[in-house]
Amino acid sequence: MEKNSIWTNNQFKLLWTGNILSEISFNFFTLWLPIVIFFLTQSTLAMGTMRAIQVLPNILLGILIGIMIDRYNRRNVMILSSLIIILSLAILYFLLVFKMLEIWHIYILGFFIFTFSYTLGNSYDTVIPEIVKDDQLVKANSSLTLVDSTVNLISPILAGMMYMVDLSIGLVITIMGTLIMLFCSSRLKVTKPKKEAKEDVYKKKSSLKVEFLEGWNALVDNRRLFMLTISITIMNIASAASGAVLAFYALYNLEISNQTLGIVYSAAALGGVFAALASNKLKDVLEQDKIFITSVVITAIGFFVNFISTHWTGLAIGLLLISFGTITTNIYYITLRQKTIESHLLGRVSGTSSMIMKLAAPISFISAGALGELIEINYIFLSSSIILLILSVYIYFGFQKKVVKNKGGALFK
């Protein structure tokens, strides 16, 4: 093993271990949601509403969560988040087992679960640059993404098989995985922003406005990061519309089983595996902006494949391409953010950029759900493809020309 390898870093290995086990378990919950909502309501609007609720924490609370992460002990934030997720899942389990579960229970408890899951993930991202060197960030992020994608490849298939027997088992597995993440979080040693920034952060602790403006200015002043944020926002609008109705289209229009739905979602995970494996090599072959444009085009092609699909294999291929494109974009975006933003501002910048990128998603989710009641669902996939192709043209002719000066510096040297 190389002396400078990230695998000699015990703190990174601890994060890696907690990540892989919690990701396995949380995938059971994310597949549990559309299946249970389908059986409770058989409504695309209900599914779209739940997808909107999943991103509401990013929009309504993203900045406050970022401030909290920059202010307080990051290990304790991760611990508290894990505890609240476990409690919410336990209540859902109780309601399901005793046949008391209603759609509004899922909406409310789902909001808490996704709020603190986002808090946990944001805290996780801010810790990585504290324990990993700058020149290892792409490697670290791609390694974590590879874990996520590999887990996503396997767990939906297992979940689909288990859900043929008992829907409650997914909640039990998710609780167990979150407990493991709780244990790993409690053993982290990196808990605060960098020492040189600590004094300034706590002096301004009483002013939320000042702290918000610090994060906002850090994002806007980093011209390349800000422009990428806006572009990803447009990608999210297109992806959200199709993602909101995909499970319904698969279960209702194509009449596939729960187990087959798990296989379809595993194809998306396979695309993530390819993206994680390729990310370290892409920077040696293509320029940074070309990687981003290519990723958008691949995502657009994936949605078009979904549009023309009449069999679950077509959906699987489309999801594989969509996942490859979006995850490749995310790896380079997160690395750029970690590398060009100071540690004591990273939580706020992450929260602010996440809020912007998810801002239109709830409207997109609900609109897609309502639209799915009126038109053929596959035309929503076509709309997403067209939007992304237009975005790629805009980036090619406009985005790269406008971003001449990058205050954040180059991502790769």
Side-chain angles (χ1 to χ4, degrees), residues 15-31:
L15 280 175
W16 187 88
T17 302
N19 179 63
I20 189 172
L21 296 175
S22 62
E23 281 292 324
I24 289 173
S25 65
F26 204 76
N27 269 281
F28 279 77
F29 176 69
T30 55
L31 185 61

Side-chain angles (χ1 to χ4, degrees), residues 54-128:
Q54 287 181 221
V55 298
L56 276 180
N58 301 56
I59 297 168
L60 300 179
L61 303 172
I63 295 174
L64 289 177
I65 289 171
I67 292 174
M68 179 178 68
I69 290 169
D70 285 341
R71 278 186 176 190
Y72 301 113
N73 182 307
R74 288 171 176 171
R75 183 189 64 186
N76 290 344
V77 172
M78 296 174 76
I79 291 172
L80 176 63
S81 299
S82 299
L83 288 171
I84 294 175
I85 292 171
I86 291 168
L87 177 61
S88 300
L89 289 167
I91 295 173
L92 275 178
Y93 176 79
F94 173 84
L95 293 171
L96 180 65
V97 169
F98 288 93
K99 299 181 179 179
M100 300 167 59
L101 186 64
E102 297 181 19
I103 189 65
W104 66 270
H105 294 139
I106 297 176
Y107 289 162
I108 294 174
L109 291 169
F111 178 80
F112 278 98
I113 290 169
F114 284 104
T115 294
F116 288 95
S117 175
Y118 168 72
T119 305
L120 187 62
N122 196 336
S123 302
Y124 195 94
D125 286 342
T126 60
V127 166
I128 292 173

Side-chain angles (χ1 to χ4, degrees), residues 219-362:
L219 174 61
V220 174
D221 289 344
N222 190 323
R223 301 298 294 276
R224 182 167 295 278
L225 186 66
F226 185 68
M227 292 300 290
L228 285 176
T229 300
I230 299 302
S231 298
I232 292 176
T233 300
I234 298 173
M235 287 185 68
N236 286 343
I237 293 172
S239 298
S242 292
V245 296
L246 179 66
F248 186 91
Y249 181 74
L251 293 169
Y252 183 79
N253 292 71
L254 301 186
E255 298 181 341
I256 70 174
S257 66
N258 294 345
Q259 183 178 1
T260 305
L261 181 62
I263 295 174
V264 169
Y265 279 117
S266 290
L270 185 60
V273 171
F274 292 153
L277 292 173
S279 59
N280 269 327
K281 303 296 182 182
L282 285 175
K283 64 184 177 66
D284 298 326
V285 178
L286 295 174
E287 295 178 0
Q288 175 185 333
D289 293 336
K290 289 181 179 179
I291 292 173
F292 186 77
I293 295 170
T294 303
S295 300
V296 175
V297 172
I298 291 174
T299 307
I301 293 172
F303 281 119
F304 185 77
V305 171
N306 281 355
F307 165 66
I308 62 176
S309 296
T310 57
H311 190 262
W312 69 265
T313 53
L315 284 183
I317 293 171
L319 281 182
L320 187 149
L321 294 172
I322 292 166
S323 178
F324 180 88
T326 55
I327 290 178
T328 299
T329 302
N330 288 339
I331 288 173
Y332 286 105
Y333 178 84
I334 292 172
T335 301
L336 176 64
R337 187 171 63 191
Q338 291 172 340
K339 191 168 185 179
T340 61
I341 299 297
E342 295 181 36
S343 176
H344 71 287
L345 294 168
L346 190 54
R348 280 164 282 177
V349 172
S350 297
T352 303
S353 59
S354 180
M355 181 199 71
I356 294 172
M357 291 188 290
K358 298 293 178 66
L359 196 58

